[in-house]
Amino acid sequence: MQLLHAPSWPHLSFQTSDRNSKGGLLSLEKCLQLSTANCSFQPQKLERSIWVSHKRNFFSFCATKATSVEAGSSAASSGTAEGDVLKALSQIIDPDFGTDIVTCGFVKDLLIDEASGEVSFRLELTTPACPIKDMFEQQANEVVARLPWVKKVAVTMSAQPAKPIFAGDLPAGLRRISNIVAVSSCKGGVGKSTVAVNLAYTLAGMGARVGVFDADVYGPSLPTMVSPENRLLEMNPEKRTIIPTDYLGVKLVSFGFAGQGRAIMRGPMVSGVIDQLLTTSEWGELDYLVIDMPPGTGDIQLTLCQVVPLTAAVIVTTPQKLAFIDVAKGVRMFSKLKVPCVAVVENMSHFDADGKRYYPFGRGSGSQVVQQFGIPHLFDLPIRPTLSASGDSGTPEVVADPQGEVAQTFQNLGVCVVQQCAKIRQQVSTAVTYDKSIKAIRVKVPDSEEEFLLHPATVRRNDHSAQSVDEWTGEQKLQYGDIPEDIEPEEIRPMGNYAVSITWPDGFSQIAPYDQLQMIERLVDVPQPTAVQS
Ligand SMILES: Nc1ncnc2c1ncn2[C@@H]1O[C@H](COP(=O)(O)OP(=O)(O)OP(=O)(O)O)[C@@H](O)[C@H]1O
């Protein structure tokens, strides 16, 4: 057992090598529960993120907290204007990440003119569609204006440039897309395209750069649901790429715009066409690409999910009991591919007539999905003649009637998608990190409570690629002594929701799936944290 001391809080000591019944290290909460009894700081003052969802490993928590406490307190205690402003802004908590906007790194370009009392800064959010950006702007203005020496505050809002969080060889067309959201149903005709298109226009209305890819080659619906001026996709002959068409600022690609009508093709051919249409399109910078998936869970859908680094999936269903069985198939497919299903839309759930609400297809299948598979959000869409009419007229309902009840439901779905994608990105990008102060790789697998530490050399020695293990004979090519004990990773980047790519100083790029990392021997004797040279 080893006791560890936080650099600037010597009174804190945590028992870190205790293992739980499954052999994993004790959770951060347990460590803190064990240890805070004897210490003078108050756990309720911990950032919410520590106690809520992003329970960081204790070591890094101490290191970061100690550093930020030191930096913050020295700035604050020396009474610098910058310290005052940052302290004021750190009262604003991002409810999704559970931490303050300064720690989130949102505050940029801080300029202070002490003589005139003028302060200006930019808040760079993770997405332009952030549903609470106005609230952030207002609060930032207010908290800084409250400082006694401040006379004028100028806040500008911006969003991070679009970029995928996934490392690896992405097709060129997908390299500048932040989030790819699949809208899927397990059988045809349930309203999947209606949901995909209205969701896309809702996200665009929230300020995001959006594209829609209609992956249904057999029955493309996009051409009847939107009215772009140019109804044919153009080719860039030099680059041999496809230029999406555009309607009200949303980029659109569909086989129905390829001048071919619906296709008569066999499965593998369909996969090829979809793959080519999607990956050779010049999507440019997008915050969200919504994919209207072909119905079902067969090979075409599987191949598509494997080509595209999906961030999340939305499942569309109808209320019949039988639909539940189909939905279950879809959820399992995404779960196998490690794509989180963030919402279920129960379409055609009811209609209102004669002052009464009718449920012609029964009730309860949507909530059964939510309960059984732990999908956090369920949205009901009523049967509406206007929804059907807008599908045929070429103007999505959320554009035709932006204040209506349907638009409100899509607004809620849009907010859910934005928040869930941001959370997934945060979880994935912090799932595997290198903590230089204790020379350990820290693993916090998304959607799991488990956190543990690994010795870098052990991770490198456990590489299962062809460079390390003979694929045919299983013979170990990489020898224990080939890897120096003190090797440190140069870079760790997520590869989808299932693995990370680790670059080592010898140039070797190791793909380490979470499943594999979970099997590796864990670090028990954790080294004392040391000051990290930046
Ligand atoms: N809530 C609704 N109220 C009324 N009509 C609806 C509703 N949802 C969808 N529709 C209509 O039902 C038909 C099928 O919808 P849609 O094309 O969106 O389904 P789909 O699941 O994408 O079908 P496919 O798998 O064939 O592409 C369309 O005519 C659409 O306008």
Side-chain angles (χ1 to χ4, degrees):
M1 188 181 303
Q2 181 172 345
L3 291 176
L4 194 107
H5 296 273
S8 65
W9 291 342
H11 53 283
L12 279 183
S13 58
F14 292 70
Q15 297 173 349
T16 57
S17 55
D18 281 12
R19 287 185 168 263
N20 60 23
S21 55
K22 286 193 215 139
L25 283 174
L26 280 179
S27 67
L28 172 65
E29 283 95 326
K30 197 77 203 154
C31 285
L32 287 169
Q33 275 164 23
L34 284 172
S35 316
T36 47
N38 301 325
C39 74
S40 57
F41 93 117
Q42 288 128 30
Q44 66 268 30
K45 290 218 172 132
L46 290 174
E47 289 147 336
R48 263 181 58 210
S49 59
I50 306 283
W51 292 103
V52 191
S53 54
H54 313 296
K55 287 172 257 73
R56 299 204 177 117
N57 180 282
F58 152 70
F59 308 106
S60 136
F61 157 67
C62 282
T64 354
K65 196 68 198 171
T67 325
S68 67
V69 164
E70 274 162 8
S73 59
S74 60
S77 61
S78 62
T80 63
E82 188 181 325
D84 284 355
V85 173
L86 291 178
K87 203 168 156 198
L89 289 171
S90 66
Q91 296 167 55
I92 306 171
I93 304 294
D94 183 319
D96 292 333
F97 298 142
T99 191
D100 69 87
I101 60 168
V102 179
T103 310
C104 284
F106 293 168
V107 183
K108 307 275 180 205
D109 306 336
L110 176 57
L111 288 176
I112 298 171
D113 184 340
E114 279 189 73
S116 64
E118 287 183 18
V119 180
S120 71
F121 54 89
R122 182 165 59 87
L123 291 186
E124 188 186 70
L125 308 179
T126 51
T127 165
C130 174
I132 49 170
K133 58 176 181 271
D134 295 343
M135 189 193 86
F136 277 148
E137 186 175 358
Q138 189 192 340
Q139 287 188 350
N141 258 306
E142 281 171 11
V143 293
V144 176
R146 250 182 255 142
L147 293 170
W149 54 269
V150 171
K151 303 268 183 306
K152 192 172 166 205
V153 189
V155 187
T156 49
M157 305 298 288
S158 70
Q160 287 169 3
K163 68 166 190 302
I165 35 167
F166 304 137
D169 255 351
L170 283 182
L174 305 178
R175 279 186 207 145
R176 287 186 294 153
I177 303 177
S178 293
N179 303 284
I180 306 185
V181 180
V183 176
S184 171
S185 71
C186 303
K187 57 182 181 128
V190 299
K192 168 184 51 62
S193 305
T194 305
V195 171
V197 168
N198 282 285
L199 170 63
Y201 280 87
T202 302
L203 292 170
M206 291 166 75
R209 291 161 297 180
V210 183
V212 181
F213 178 68
D214 174 7
D216 197 345
V217 171
Y218 291 123
S221 343
L222 195 59
T224 57
M225 305 180 86
V226 289
S227 320
E229 220 167 89
N230 191 353
R231 299 190 67 84
L232 274 184
L233 294 172
E234 283 172 24
M235 281 284 282
N236 178 334
E238 275 159 35
K239 294 203 240 160
R240 302 181 71 78
T241 51
I242 294 163
I243 301 158
T245 187
D246 179 295
Y247 177 58
L248 303 177
V250 173
K251 292 184 178 174
L252 309 163
V253 172
S254 164
F255 192 70
F257 293 133
Q260 314 267 326
R262 55 183 65 205
I264 304 167
M265 286 188 258
R266 289 182 190 279
M269 229 175 127
V270 174
S271 290
V273 168
I274 293 177
D275 187 4
Q276 197 187 355
L277 265 184
L278 176 60
T279 57
T280 58
S281 291
E282 282 186 33
W283 292 106
E285 272 202 32
L286 290 184
D287 300 300
Y288 301 92
L289 174 64
V290 176
I291 301 192
D292 180 359
M293 297 282 288
T297 49
D299 281 350
I300 298 170
Q301 292 74 13
L302 259 176
T303 316
L304 182 57
C305 291
Q306 280 157 350
V307 172
V308 182
L310 293 175
T311 315
V314 170
I315 305 243
V316 184
T317 183
T318 45
Q320 293 95 328
K321 285 271 173 273
L322 264 181
F324 174 79
I325 299 164
D326 291 317
V327 171
K329 272 194 220 155
V331 176
R332 280 198 200 100
M333 177 183 83
F334 285 116
S335 148
K336 257 192 230 146
L337 297 161
K338 309 256 193 271
V339 176
C341 291
V342 294
V344 172
V345 177
E346 193 175 83
N347 191 21
M348 310 190 202
S349 67
H350 62 268
F351 67 90
D352 296 328
D354 318 325
K356 276 198 256 168
R357 181 153 287 190
Y358 296 90
Y359 299 90
F361 301 126
R363 297 174 76 175
S365 122
S367 51
Q368 199 180 349
V369 174
V370 166
Q371 275 164 20
Q372 192 148 334
F373 297 102
I375 300 175
H377 303 279
L378 174 65
F379 298 89
D380 286 349
L381 263 184
I383 299 171
R384 274 292 154 85
T386 49
L387 251 178
S388 177
S390 65
D392 296 335
S393 70
T395 311
E397 171 92 355
V398 296
V399 175
D401 182 12
Q403 305 303 329
E405 189 198 344
V406 166
Q408 186 52 54
T409 303
F410 275 106
Q411 183 70 25
N412 297 341
L413 175 64
V415 168
C416 162
V417 166
V418 167
Q419 291 179 328
Q420 294 295 316
C421 284
K423 271 191 195 167
I424 292 165
R425 284 175 74 90
Q426 160 87 357
Q427 281 185 348
V428 166
S429 58
T430 55
V432 182
T433 49
Y434 181 56
D435 191 333
K436 217 168 167 47
S437 71
I438 52 166
K439 295 196 174 6
I441 291 176
R442 189 173 65 244
V443 184
K444 160 85 183 82
V445 176
D447 278 337
S448 143
E449 284 302 298
E450 218 181 358
E451 287 186 40
F452 53 90
L453 296 168
L454 301 172
H455 184 41
T458 314
V459 173
R460 176 74 167 81
R461 287 175 187 135
N462 272 279
D463 175 49
H464 292 186
S465 73
Q467 273 118 314
S468 307
V469 181
D470 189 300
E471 279 179 87
W472 296 100
T473 62
E475 185 199 335
Q476 185 72 35
K477 292 202 277 186
L478 180 82
Q479 298 306 316
Y480 189 94
D482 295 343
I483 303 300
E485 204 52 34
D486 59 355
I487 193 167
E488 293 182 59
E490 277 186 349
E491 192 189 23
I492 303 181
R493 292 191 60 200
M495 296 273 305
N497 293 328
Y498 65 96
V500 284
S501 143
I502 308 176
T503 310
W504 298 98
D506 56 6
F508 180 66
S509 184
Q510 177 179 357
I511 306 298
Y514 297 149
D515 293 353
Q516 224 178 67
L517 293 174
Q518 280 171 302
M519 304 298 286
I520 294 177
E521 187 193 340
R522 294 172 188 188
L523 206 54
V524 177
D525 291 322
V526 183
Q528 190 84 7
T530 51
V532 179
Q533 306 259 308
S534 56

